[in-house]
Amino acid sequence: MASLYPEQYLTPVSTGDIRNRYKPNYKSYTTSQIYDLDENLKERKSYRSLIGLSPTDTYNLIGLTIIAFFVRLFHIEHPNSVVFDEVHFGGFASKYIKGTFFMDVHPPLAKLLITFAGVLGGFDGNFDFKEIGMDYIEPKVPYVIMRLLSGILGVLVIPIAYLTIKLSGFSTIAAFLVANLILFENGLITQSRLILLDSPLIAFTAFTVLMWVKFLNQEKRPFELWWWVWMAMTGVGLGLTVSVKWVGLFTIAFVGLSTISGLWRLLGDLRVTPALFLKHFIARALCLIVIPISLYMFFFVIHFAVLRNSGSGVGFMSSEFQQTLGGHGMQDMPLDIAYGSTISIRHENTQGGYLHSHLHNYPTGSKQQQVTLYPHKDDNNLWAIDNQTDPEVPFSETDPNWIYHNSIIRLNHIITKRRLHSHNVRPPVTDADYQNEVSTYGYDGFEGDANDHWRVEITDYDKSDPESRERLRTLHTKFRLYHVITGCYLYSHKVKLPEWGFEQQEVTCVKGGHYPNTIWFIESNSHPKLPDDAEKVNYRKPGFFKKFLELNKVMWTTNSGLTDSHPYESRPLSWILLSRGINFWSKDNRQIYLLGNPLVWWASTFSILFFITAKLIFLLREKRGYKDHMDGKKEHFESWSGLFFMGWCLHYLPFFLMSRQLFLHHYLPSLYFAILLIGVAFDLFTHKLSFRNQLITAIIFLVASVYVFTIFSPLVYAGPWTKTDCQKAKWISTWDFECSTHLDNYEDYLNSVNIDFRESDNVSNITEFSQESESTTGIAFEEQPFVKEVYDHDEENRFEDDVDQDVHEMIANEH
């Protein structure tokens, strides 16, 4: 096996060791003596800074970047209304500016960058982005500069891809080809023109790969300045990538496996001493583990610092977490709980909602009053504890009636005066033999029955409060409620009720269900007879690390739970074939539809298949004794194509293991690696051709890809498109972009523009007239816009807390 250190620059450690161990002398060797690639490949590598490229490469980079700015940013102000998931990520920027807490499954970096762009543009956070199609112009939202963030990052991917191929030792033509294929890839363009997260994700992924390529080029000059620089910058790239989306974990795996492979080679080099190997290991751990984790946590420090106030999403977090948010603090509560106490009961699991009831009945089953789990504080969460044995026993301050383990109680709903109840009736949603319905039941003059009886079983307690082990104590005691008659336990899970239950969580009584879902604790407590100086208790406010861990756990749990169907979801097998896209926006006979450039997409898929086939052929030929040197380039092709293929696999194959909602844009990081492989395949196919023939081959491919790009460009830029051209572009029947909404010919679009101009002129005349009237009469007629709240639930962001639909006026009227 070839050593990482040239033999002539190693000095013997022990002259008596037949294995001839060596230690490196770092200051003696030169670059030309390190690399054993042929001279042609050596000239294509840059070992230190990115400066020093040939004039051709410099001109190519400048030209490509200028064209990329035009292609990515062309009419980026159109459409001037909310598109697809701008609903969510623009809305998150609004909440950042207002400092109100929200819950999202993605880490905060990209959302913070979008917010920063909005602040630079003067965004005040008053626009809520709640509905696709909402107008940006009238409320003066600086949406263009917010989109420019994605656009500029999308532009940077092109020169990064060029440098990645070039610095991997491949030809200038291959680098130019790859950069142009990314430049004219419709899907990547679409994602980089909107307020979305995928453009930052791909940009940081590409940056990380480039930095790792630079490090691998410097790998044989360990512990020198640039060796440290490129490895540290790789760690920075990893931190940025995983801080945008958790897809960055796949990028970490990519660099991690490559690192393990390098360390394994070092371990097998008998001239590397154990101390030197340990030094290599520590250096990689610092740069590729400590730096990414530190960056990831740093962005959460900013996240928590900005979101200081309570807001949507607090229901996902524990009460301890909520205590750190302004406007959500809880006053100190009496620690002791007795019969007659008014309490709120909180679920230990499933983000800890409150046991809740309201004046609405189940539509099936017993048709009694609903009992649910509700994430917000509300008077309908309050229950009074009755002593079922002797409800008339008075409370004594000197000898109170505490509630001990195995005490049998009844819970009386304060607002509706009905008791928590269960019976042998199947729940309306989870209709299973081991599940019973839970309701509240009762009426004036009815004293209840045995189906209202629940036995308290204490399961855990606060070790600092030994009494909480024996009897119920606020916050300190965890317990289960056992239904005496049917033998089931009060239970809740993530299943939500339909609209008739306001999509609140289902509460049932289960026999043998998931144990953590039967655990409850008491959060608030009051009793009219308790003295003012009674012992009080409150939540302990967590520090940063506890909040950080809790939020990431909730993000993981919520992300895994996104299993609902969506009209534009797709599975991984369809991605490599580009079977379908995603409808982003449709209005005024135009549309934005996420669809890749079919030629680029299918060529990238072919490059994957070509790599696998070529590798198998080489293995078989080697097994039969054939020597395929390919002019000394075989090892070079295999190593770099293997690296990019590993990146594709790690960013693609894990999605087959996921049951959550998936969409075409989840494939985009894998697509980047697949396009890099096109450059490798191109050089492999054409390495024996002359430069002129290589150039002609690349130009033919590029012209074809640009032509295909123009065919589908109306779906990128929401441009005019006729029904006929739209139908012609439906190369695959599963592409479900809508053609019937387009006009019959392009002249009709020009006429519609003229009509819009005339209407705008009329509006301006009306405005001038109203201003004149105001100046003469002193009376201004201010139009009050009609605002319709619509909560969009596209893709993975279905996390706005459900609004409880209890009709408090009905309750007030009833009383």
Side-chain angles (χ1 to χ4, degrees), residues 402-414:
W402 307 132
I403 302 167
Y404 291 92
H405 178 67
N406 285 332
S407 294
I408 297 177
I409 64 172
R410 292 187 300 191
L411 291 172
N412 190 14
H413 192 240
I414 294 294

mmCIF file of all heavy atoms in Angstrom, residues 402-414:
data_model
loop_
_atom_site.group_PDB
_atom_site.id
_atom_site.type_symbol
_atom_site.label_atom_id
_atom_site.label_comp_id
_atom_site.label_asym_id
_atom_site.label_seq_id
_atom_site.Cartn_x
_atom_site.Cartn_y
_atom_site.Cartn_z
ATOM 1 N N TRP A 402 -55.777 14.476 52.358
ATOM 2 C CA TRP A 402 -54.869 14.341 51.224
ATOM 3 C C TRP A 402 -55.292 13.155 50.357
ATOM 4 O O TRP A 402 -56.065 12.283 50.793
ATOM 5 C CB TRP A 402 -53.433 14.137 51.690
ATOM 6 C CG TRP A 402 -52.893 15.147 52.659
ATOM 7 C CD1 TRP A 402 -52.235 14.889 53.808
ATOM 8 C CD2 TRP A 402 -52.932 16.576 52.542
ATOM 9 N NE1 TRP A 402 -51.856 16.049 54.437
ATOM 10 C CE2 TRP A 402 -52.278 17.107 53.671
ATOM 11 C CE3 TRP A 402 -53.470 17.458 51.609
ATOM 12 C CZ2 TRP A 402 -52.140 18.465 53.894
ATOM 13 C CZ3 TRP A 402 -53.334 18.810 51.825
ATOM 14 C CH2 TRP A 402 -52.676 19.316 52.956
ATOM 15 N N ILE A 403 -54.736 13.122 49.147
ATOM 16 C CA ILE A 403 -55.054 12.055 48.195
ATOM 17 C C ILE A 403 -53.821 11.163 48.077
ATOM 18 O O ILE A 403 -52.775 11.583 47.558
ATOM 19 C CB ILE A 403 -55.441 12.642 46.829
ATOM 20 C CG1 ILE A 403 -56.631 13.572 46.993
ATOM 21 C CG2 ILE A 403 -55.744 11.539 45.827
ATOM 22 C CD1 ILE A 403 -56.914 14.432 45.811
ATOM 23 N N TYR A 404 -53.942 9.950 48.569
ATOM 24 C CA TYR A 404 -52.822 9.031 48.644
ATOM 25 C C TYR A 404 -52.856 8.027 47.485
ATOM 26 O O TYR A 404 -53.835 7.935 46.733
ATOM 27 C CB TYR A 404 -52.843 8.283 49.979
ATOM 28 C CG TYR A 404 -52.535 9.162 51.163
ATOM 29 C CD1 TYR A 404 -53.566 9.799 51.872
ATOM 30 C CD2 TYR A 404 -51.221 9.370 51.583
ATOM 31 C CE1 TYR A 404 -53.289 10.621 52.950
ATOM 32 C CE2 TYR A 404 -50.941 10.188 52.672
ATOM 33 C CZ TYR A 404 -51.978 10.815 53.339
ATOM 34 O OH TYR A 404 -51.701 11.627 54.421
ATOM 35 N N HIS A 405 -51.778 7.263 47.384
ATOM 36 C CA HIS A 405 -51.712 6.158 46.429
ATOM 37 C C HIS A 405 -52.874 5.194 46.681
ATOM 38 O O HIS A 405 -53.175 4.844 47.815
ATOM 39 C CB HIS A 405 -50.374 5.430 46.608
ATOM 40 C CG HIS A 405 -50.188 4.238 45.715
ATOM 41 N ND1 HIS A 405 -50.071 4.330 44.350
ATOM 42 C CD2 HIS A 405 -50.104 2.904 46.008
ATOM 43 C CE1 HIS A 405 -49.915 3.132 43.833
ATOM 44 N NE2 HIS A 405 -49.935 2.238 44.820
ATOM 45 N N ASN A 406 -53.562 4.810 45.618
ATOM 46 C CA ASN A 406 -54.725 3.913 45.633
ATOM 47 C C ASN A 406 -56.005 4.589 46.115
ATOM 48 O O ASN A 406 -57.021 3.901 46.294
ATOM 49 C CB ASN A 406 -54.467 2.648 46.457
ATOM 50 C CG ASN A 406 -53.569 1.667 45.708
ATOM 51 O OD1 ASN A 406 -53.562 1.644 44.487
ATOM 52 N ND2 ASN A 406 -52.806 0.871 46.458
ATOM 53 N N SER A 407 -55.989 5.908 46.338
ATOM 54 C CA SER A 407 -57.242 6.608 46.644
ATOM 55 C C SER A 407 -58.146 6.583 45.421
ATOM 56 O O SER A 407 -57.678 6.660 44.278
ATOM 57 C CB SER A 407 -56.963 8.058 47.047
ATOM 58 O OG SER A 407 -56.252 8.118 48.261
ATOM 59 N N ILE A 408 -59.450 6.488 45.663
ATOM 60 C CA ILE A 408 -60.419 6.496 44.561
ATOM 61 C C ILE A 408 -61.085 7.868 44.528
ATOM 62 O O ILE A 408 -61.615 8.346 45.536
ATOM 63 C CB ILE A 408 -61.458 5.377 44.739
ATOM 64 C CG1 ILE A 408 -60.757 4.019 44.678
ATOM 65 C CG2 ILE A 408 -62.524 5.469 43.656
ATOM 66 C CD1 ILE A 408 -61.664 2.849 44.911
ATOM 67 N N ILE A 409 -61.044 8.492 43.352
ATOM 68 C CA ILE A 409 -61.519 9.868 43.228
ATOM 69 C C ILE A 409 -62.513 9.974 42.071
ATOM 70 O O ILE A 409 -62.661 9.045 41.261
ATOM 71 C CB ILE A 409 -60.347 10.844 42.975
ATOM 72 C CG1 ILE A 409 -59.675 10.521 41.626
ATOM 73 C CG2 ILE A 409 -59.338 10.783 44.110
ATOM 74 C CD1 ILE A 409 -58.641 11.548 41.199
ATOM 75 N N ARG A 410 -63.168 11.124 42.010
ATOM 76 C CA ARG A 410 -63.932 11.535 40.830
ATOM 77 C C ARG A 410 -63.411 12.902 40.406
ATOM 78 O O ARG A 410 -63.046 13.723 41.240
ATOM 79 C CB ARG A 410 -65.426 11.618 41.143
ATOM 80 C CG ARG A 410 -66.067 10.274 41.413
ATOM 81 C CD ARG A 410 -67.572 10.382 41.537
ATOM 82 N NE ARG A 410 -67.982 11.266 42.642
ATOM 83 C CZ ARG A 410 -69.223 11.363 43.096
ATOM 84 N NH1 ARG A 410 -70.195 10.665 42.521
ATOM 85 N NH2 ARG A 410 -69.526 12.166 44.100
ATOM 86 N N LEU A 411 -63.389 13.137 39.092
ATOM 87 C CA LEU A 411 -62.949 14.419 38.554
ATOM 88 C C LEU A 411 -64.140 15.128 37.940
ATOM 89 O O LEU A 411 -64.741 14.644 36.976
ATOM 90 C CB LEU A 411 -61.859 14.210 37.502
ATOM 91 C CG LEU A 411 -60.514 13.708 38.049
ATOM 92 C CD1 LEU A 411 -59.567 13.338 36.922
ATOM 93 C CD2 LEU A 411 -59.870 14.757 38.947
ATOM 94 N N ASN A 412 -64.470 16.265 38.518
ATOM 95 C CA ASN A 412 -65.654 17.029 38.118
ATOM 96 C C ASN A 412 -65.206 18.216 37.255
ATOM 97 O O ASN A 412 -64.437 19.067 37.717
ATOM 98 C CB ASN A 412 -66.398 17.505 39.364
ATOM 99 C CG ASN A 412 -67.751 18.102 39.038
ATOM 100 O OD1 ASN A 412 -68.251 17.939 37.927
ATOM 101 N ND2 ASN A 412 -68.330 18.803 39.994
ATOM 102 N N HIS A 413 -65.673 18.261 36.007
ATOM 103 C CA HIS A 413 -65.268 19.341 35.103
ATOM 104 C C HIS A 413 -65.890 20.657 35.569
ATOM 105 O O HIS A 413 -67.108 20.778 35.686
ATOM 106 C CB HIS A 413 -65.706 19.010 33.674
ATOM 107 C CG HIS A 413 -65.100 19.900 32.646
ATOM 108 N ND1 HIS A 413 -65.841 20.690 31.800
ATOM 109 C CD2 HIS A 413 -63.792 20.152 32.328
ATOM 110 C CE1 HIS A 413 -65.044 21.356 30.994
ATOM 111 N NE2 HIS A 413 -63.791 21.051 31.297
ATOM 112 N N ILE A 414 -65.049 21.651 35.830
ATOM 113 C CA ILE A 414 -65.488 22.893 36.463
ATOM 114 C C ILE A 414 -66.506 23.641 35.595
ATOM 115 O O ILE A 414 -67.545 24.106 36.081
ATOM 116 C CB ILE A 414 -64.273 23.800 36.760
ATOM 117 C CG1 ILE A 414 -63.379 23.147 37.827
ATOM 118 C CG2 ILE A 414 -64.715 25.188 37.196
ATOM 119 C CD1 ILE A 414 -64.013 23.035 39.191
#
